[in-house]
Amino acid sequence: MRTSVILPVFNSEATVDRAVRSVLSQTDRDFELLVVEDGSSDGSADVLAAVSDARVSILRHPENRGISAARNTGLKHARGDFIAFLDADDEWAPSFLERMHAARGDADAVVCGRTVVLPDGRTRAVHSRRQGVISGDDGASDMLTGRITPFPWDKIIARAAFAGLAYPEDIHRFEDQVVGVVALSRVSTVVSIPDALVRYHVAAGSLTWGRVPRVEEADAALRFAADALGDWLRPASHANAFAVCRTLFYLLTAQSAMRSTDRAAGDAVLAGCRRRLSPRLVTTALRRAPLLGGGALLLRVAPRLYAALFRAYVKRQYALS
């Protein structure tokens, strides 16, 4: 079997049928679909019960354990040579698997672009800044520095890269990115293409947009990545890329805090992020990723200005207030 598709489902009654159908409609039919029903309390299980296809296996958690646990359950049951993930509120183009494998050649991983679907129905196509054929080391570095997307659902990766690797079930932010970095660090070649083969639906109530994470979650994700990468971090270029990732995680956490309706909680998270953005860290980011480093510097010295600029950007780019 060529591809194992892992689809975690939790309280996704309104969208899961769309996601499942987008997989079953693939022009490349050499796949299995592992749907992990993660203890939903809505009608998701009923929607899944109506699915009748020999390629679909429905794995159930008696109670909700979180998306990382669901992905881990899928990985344990996967039989394909390659792993692909899809979220229950997103969808693939019918040619996703066919075009990803065609682009892959002999590579171990492929990254594609995506169509962002905004809450007001507008769409735009975007893709990773890094394009072409690169080494796995460069792929991991680029994912650390934001030049390759952090998502699991716009990639296919050789199953061998996940050997002994599991999503951290006690971390609820950045866990997908750090696992992706580790997986790419284990492959020899990565191909990045601009084709928008995923429809990513932005919803204000999603995990990414709807909650303020604790800054300690960023700390935990970074510790997980450092432990899992181990000696890979020894070269200076890799260590500097990891420093940029630290900067990125704290900036993203601060941005989430800026959207909080709980002003006190948001201010506390913001203060924690600013403390962690040390001058040394910001300097490294400025050298390796000037735009990101400039953002970190602005957050340190003028947080109110940074917040105003960020809110304007979110409103313009994602139609979110």
Side-chain angles (χ1 to χ4, degrees), residues 20-306:
V20 168
R21 297 301 166 192
S22 79
V23 178
L24 297 182
S25 298
Q26 292 297 299
T27 52
D28 177 356
R29 300 177 63 82
D30 188 9
F31 67 85
E32 63 175 353
L33 173 56
L34 303 171
V35 180
V36 185
E37 205 295 289
D38 189 31
S40 296
S41 58
D42 66 355
S44 296
D46 294 333
V47 174
L48 295 173
V51 177
S52 178
D53 191 296
R55 295 167 296 175
V56 179
S57 297
I58 299 178
L59 311 171
R60 302 188 186 279
H61 289 170
E63 52 189 42
N64 179 245
R65 294 170 50 193
I67 194 168
S68 288
R71 287 174 177 154
N72 289 338
T73 294
L75 285 171
K76 289 176 183 176
H77 288 81
R79 297 174 295 153
D81 294 328
F82 287 83
I83 298 294
F85 294 98
L86 181 63
D87 287 351
D89 54 352
D90 297 323
E91 57 188 309
W92 285 340
S95 59
F96 174 85
L97 289 176
E98 180 179 3
R99 291 167 69 179
M100 293 288 272
H101 282 294
R104 179 176 60 81
D106 294 327
D108 307 294
V110 185
V111 185
C112 71
R114 66 196 182 280
T115 296
V116 178
V117 183
L118 302 179
D120 62 5
R122 288 182 295 139
T123 63
R124 71 174 187 277
V126 291
H127 56 73
S128 295
R129 283 181 289 155
R130 184 65 179 261
Q131 294 287 292
V133 181
I134 58 177
S135 69
D137 279 352
D138 284 347
S141 293
D142 286 338
M143 199 168 176
L144 284 170
T145 59
R147 297 187 69 201
I148 283 181
T149 60
F151 316 116
W153 36 254
D154 60 354
K155 301 173 180 66
I156 59 171
I157 302 176
R159 179 160 61 98
F162 292 93
L165 178 62
Y167 285 85
E169 298 181 13
D170 58 340
I171 301 173
H172 306 293
R173 183 80 189 270
F174 307 120
E175 77 289 345
D176 46 4
Q177 182 169 354
V178 294
V179 169
V181 167
V182 175
L184 291 188
S185 77
R186 296 177 170 186
V187 307
S188 60
T189 310
V190 179
V191 177
S192 179
I193 61 175
D195 311 47
L197 302 177
V198 183
R199 285 178 67 85
Y200 168 64
H201 294 263
V202 175
S206 71
L207 178 61
T208 303
W209 293 102
R211 91 188 242 283
V212 178
R214 296 180 302 114
V215 67
E216 289 79 11
E217 288 184 292
D219 296 335
L222 290 163
R223 284 195 300 270
F224 173 91
D227 290 344
L229 289 168
D231 289 342
W232 185 89
L233 289 171
R234 287 185 180 276
S237 61
H238 294 174
N240 288 338
F242 190 74
V244 173
C245 183
R246 290 174 61 87
T247 305
L248 176 62
F249 281 13
Y250 294 135
L251 267 182
L252 291 173
T253 302
Q255 290 170 2
S256 293
M258 291 171 185
R259 298 191 68 249
S260 174
T261 56
D262 184 337
R263 185 67 177 271
D267 286 349
V269 172
L270 185 58
C273 293
R274 293 179 66 211
R275 284 196 302 271
R276 286 162 173 79
L277 288 169
S278 67
R280 181 177 180 181
L281 194 63
V282 172
T283 299
T284 301
L286 282 167
R287 291 172 177 166
R288 184 71 181 261
L291 185 61
L292 179 66
L297 180 61
L298 182 61
L299 179 63
R300 274 185 56 87
V301 302
R304 290 189 177 182
L305 175 59
Y306 184 94

